[in-house]
Amino acid sequence: MRRIAIANRTLFFGCDLASLSHFPCPEGLTVVQWTEDDLRQHLGEENYLDEGHAVWLRDDQAVCFAVMDGERLAGFAWIAHGDVPGEMNHDGHPDTQLPLFLPDDTGFVFHVFILPSYRGRRLYAALMSSAAHQLPNRGIEKLVLTTECTNRSALRSVGRMGFRQVGRAWLIKVGPLCSVGYPEQPFLGGVRTGTYVGDPHERPND
């Protein structure tokens, strides 16, 4: 059945930067905002980063915050803004890519990864705390993210940080037809909402 049809459901979470809980970075680690040159020093590192990520920075499609243990990478989180392409929002399957169309004051958290040896130290929260201090300089005052309904670890993490569920999104694709539902929530402001049938990579009609 999965060869001809696919269904996906995710939860939307949102938070004002001013409401995010503060989590300091553990002693000995630091959070930095990467430039393209910083990222290139770690390209191909354990297959977590590649040339496509460098392009995101070069084209200012997203910013990257990284936790460093000296010169060693411990983890990272990406935050996109504006119109977010589907490749930045999916659950690992190419058919579940769902683009977002964000207002200027809202960033989208995605591609968060903590290396296994550093997990359990709340580095995701430390990354978001650092982002909350720096993103207002880019005019970003809110963050949204999506999480799979079954990812209990991620659900606990985002709740602890102060994110609250603001809606659900779903996608059903059968052959060339795709039906998509976006959450209708005041928090999301200018995010395009509603249900439509067609190419999921096109902006829904107003």
Side-chain angles (χ1 to χ4, degrees):
M1 183 65 180
R2 192 173 176 85
R3 292 181 180 179
I4 62 174
I6 188 168
N8 188 61
R9 185 178 66 172
T10 56
L11 301 179
F12 266 81
F13 288 84
C15 189
D16 295 297
L17 293 183
S19 300
L20 274 175
S21 300
H22 176 69
F23 288 87
C25 200
E27 185 176 355
L29 304 180
T30 57
V31 177
V32 297
Q33 183 177 335
W34 266 0
T35 64
E36 182 183 347
D37 289 340
D38 294 329
L39 182 143
R40 287 190 175 281
Q41 295 179 30
H42 298 273
L43 279 185
E45 188 165 309
E46 302 189 47
N47 297 318
Y48 302 135
L49 299 164
D50 57 34
E51 180 64 29
H53 298 97
V55 172
W56 291 346
L57 291 178
R58 182 192 315 147
D59 294 345
D60 196 32
Q61 290 181 284
V63 295
C64 180
F65 293 92
V67 180
M68 304 299 298
D69 184 357
E71 296 297 317
R72 183 182 181 188
L73 175 65
F76 54 77
W78 290 78
I79 298 174
H81 48 86
D83 288 355
V84 180
E87 67 190 76
M88 294 180 177
N89 179 27
H90 62 92
D91 64 2
H93 192 289
D95 284 338
T96 63
Q97 295 182 4
L98 190 63
L100 301 173
F101 310 101
L102 302 177
D104 292 339
D105 68 345
T106 303
F108 175 65
V109 181
F110 72 105
H111 196 28
V112 179
F113 187 79
I114 306 300
L115 274 70
S117 59
Y118 291 92
R119 291 174 185 169
R121 303 174 68 179
R122 298 190 177 178
L123 296 189
Y124 187 178
L127 283 163
M128 292 300 97
S129 292
S130 181
H133 288 295
Q134 300 184 54
L135 289 175
N137 296 329
R138 302 177 67 92
I140 295 176
E141 301 292 340
K142 303 175 183 178
L143 291 177
V144 294
L145 56 85
T146 58
T147 300
E148 292 181 64
C149 299
T150 57
N151 192 337
R152 297 189 181 280
S153 176
L155 293 174
R156 287 194 298 270
S157 294
V158 298
R160 187 164 50 234
M161 286 185 271
F163 284 89
R164 58 187 175 88
Q165 185 178 333
V166 295
R168 296 171 181 260
W170 50 265
L171 176 150
I172 300 175
K173 186 175 183 182
V174 180
L177 297 178
C178 185
S179 181
V180 176
Y182 283 91
E184 298 183 8
Q185 292 288 335
F187 180 91
L188 295 173
V191 176
R192 305 296 176 174
T193 64
T195 302
Y196 70 102
V197 176
D199 187 344
H201 294 85
E202 294 180 353
R203 178 189 287 266
N205 294 326
D206 291 340

Coordinates of all heavy atoms in Angstrom, one line a residue, residues 17 20 31 33 63 65 77 79 109 124-138 140 143:
L17 N 9.7 33.9 21.8 CA 11.1 33.8 22.3 C 11.2 34.2 23.8 O 11.9 33.6 24.6 CB 12.0 34.6 21.5 CG 12.3 34.1 20.0 CD1 13.3 35.0 19.4 CD2 12.7 32.7 20.0
L20 N 10.4 31.3 26.2 CA 11.2 30.1 26.3 C 11.9 30.0 27.6 O 12.5 30.9 28.1 CB 12.3 30.1 25.2 CG 11.9 29.6 23.8 CD1 13.0 29.8 22.8 CD2 11.5 28.1 23.8
V31 N 27.8 27.3 22.9 CA 26.9 27.4 21.7 C 27.3 28.6 20.8 O 27.5 29.7 21.3 CB 25.4 27.6 22.1 CG1 24.5 27.7 20.9 CG2 25.0 26.4 23.0
Q33 N 26.9 30.5 16.8 CA 26.2 30.5 15.5 C 27.2 30.4 14.4 O 28.1 31.1 14.2 CB 25.4 31.9 15.3 CG 24.6 31.9 14.1 CD 23.8 33.2 13.9 OE1 23.5 33.8 14.9 NE2 23.5 33.6 12.7
V63 N 19.6 29.7 9.6 CA 20.8 29.9 10.5 C 21.0 28.6 11.2 O 20.1 27.8 11.5 CB 20.6 31.1 11.4 CG1 20.5 32.4 10.6 CG2 19.4 30.9 12.3
F65 N 22.8 26.9 14.7 CA 23.5 27.1 16.0 C 24.1 25.7 16.4 O 23.4 24.7 16.3 CB 22.4 27.5 17.1 CG 21.9 28.9 16.9 CD1 20.8 29.1 16.2 CD2 22.6 30.0 17.4 CE1 20.3 30.4 16.0 CE2 22.1 31.2 17.2 CZ 20.9 31.4 16.5
A77 N 21.3 22.8 15.7 CA 19.9 23.0 15.4 C 19.8 24.1 14.3 O 20.6 25.1 14.3 CB 19.2 23.5 16.6
I79 N 17.4 26.8 12.1 CA 16.2 27.6 12.1 C 16.1 28.4 10.8 O 16.9 29.2 10.4 CB 16.3 28.7 13.3 CG1 16.4 27.9 14.6 CG2 15.0 29.5 13.3 CD1 16.6 28.8 15.8
V109 N 12.1 25.8 13.5 CA 13.2 24.9 14.1 C 13.1 23.6 13.4 O 12.1 22.9 13.3 CB 13.0 24.7 15.6 CG1 14.2 23.9 16.1 CG2 13.0 26.1 16.3
Y124 N 19.6 20.3 23.4 CA 18.6 20.9 22.6 C 18.0 22.2 23.2 O 17.9 23.2 22.6 CB 17.5 19.9 22.4 CG 16.3 20.2 21.4 CD1 15.3 19.3 21.2 CD2 16.3 21.4 20.8 CE1 14.3 19.6 20.3 CE2 15.2 21.7 19.9 CZ 14.2 20.8 19.7 OH 13.2 21.0 18.8
A125 N 17.8 22.1 24.5 CA 17.3 23.3 25.2 C 18.3 24.4 25.3 O 18.0 25.6 25.2 CB 16.9 22.9 26.6
A126 N 19.6 24.0 25.4 CA 20.6 25.1 25.5 C 20.8 25.7 24.1 O 21.0 27.0 24.0 CB 22.0 24.4 25.8
L127 N 20.6 25.0 23.0 CA 20.6 25.6 21.7 C 19.5 26.6 21.5 O 19.7 27.7 21.0 CB 20.5 24.5 20.7 CG 21.7 23.7 20.4 CD1 21.4 22.4 19.7 CD2 22.7 24.5 19.6
M128 N 18.3 26.2 22.0 CA 17.1 27.1 21.9 C 17.3 28.4 22.7 O 16.9 29.5 22.4 CB 15.8 26.4 22.2 CG 15.4 25.3 21.2 SD 15.2 25.9 19.5 CE 16.8 25.5 18.8
S129 N 17.9 28.2 23.9 CA 18.2 29.4 24.8 C 19.1 30.3 24.1 O 18.9 31.6 24.1 CB 18.8 28.9 26.1 OG 17.8 28.2 26.9
S130 N 20.1 29.8 23.5 CA 21.1 30.7 22.8 C 20.4 31.4 21.6 O 20.6 32.6 21.3 CB 22.3 29.9 22.3 OG 23.2 30.7 21.6
A131 N 19.6 30.6 20.9 CA 18.9 31.2 19.7 C 17.9 32.3 20.2 O 17.8 33.3 19.5 CB 18.1 30.1 19.0
A132 N 17.3 32.1 21.3 CA 16.4 33.2 21.8 C 17.0 34.5 22.0 O 16.4 35.5 21.9 CB 15.7 32.7 23.1
H133 N 18.3 34.5 22.4 CA 19.1 35.7 22.6 C 19.5 36.4 21.3 O 19.6 37.6 21.2 CB 20.3 35.4 23.4 CG 20.0 35.1 24.9 ND1 19.4 36.0 25.7 CD2 20.2 34.0 25.6 CE1 19.2 35.5 26.9 NE2 19.7 34.3 26.9
Q134 N 19.7 35.6 20.2 CA 20.3 36.1 19.0 C 19.3 36.3 17.9 O 19.5 37.2 17.1 CB 21.4 35.1 18.5 CG 22.5 35.0 19.5 CD 23.6 34.1 19.0 OE1 24.2 34.4 17.9 NE2 24.0 33.0 19.7
L135 N 18.2 35.6 17.9 CA 17.3 35.7 16.7 C 16.6 37.1 16.7 O 16.2 37.5 15.6 CB 16.3 34.6 16.8 CG 16.8 33.2 16.4 CD1 15.8 32.1 16.6 CD2 17.4 33.2 15.0
P136 N 16.3 37.7 17.8 CA 15.6 39.0 17.7 C 16.4 40.0 16.8 O 15.8 40.9 16.2 CB 15.5 39.5 19.1 CG 15.4 38.2 19.9 CD 16.3 37.3 19.2
N137 N 17.7 39.8 16.7 CA 18.6 40.7 15.8 C 18.2 40.5 14.4 O 18.5 41.4 13.5 CB 20.0 40.4 16.0 CG 20.5 40.7 17.4 OD1 20.0 41.6 18.1 ND2 21.5 40.0 17.9
R138 N 17.5 39.4 14.1 CA 17.1 39.1 12.7 C 15.6 39.4 12.5 O 15.0 39.1 11.5 CB 17.4 37.6 12.3 CG 18.8 37.2 12.4 CD 19.0 35.8 12.1 NE 18.7 35.5 10.7 CZ 19.6 35.5 9.7 NH1 20.9 35.8 10.0 NH2 19.3 35.2 8.5
I140 N 13.2 38.0 14.4 CA 12.4 36.8 14.7 C 12.0 36.9 16.2 O 12.9 37.0 17.0 CB 13.2 35.5 14.4 CG1 13.4 35.4 12.9 CG2 12.5 34.3 14.9 CD1 14.3 34.3 12.5
L143 N 9.0 31.1 17.5 CA 9.5 29.9 16.9 C 8.4 28.9 16.8 O 7.6 28.8 17.7 CB 10.7 29.3 17.7 CG 12.0 30.0 17.7 CD1 13.0 29.3 18.7 CD2 12.6 30.2 16.4

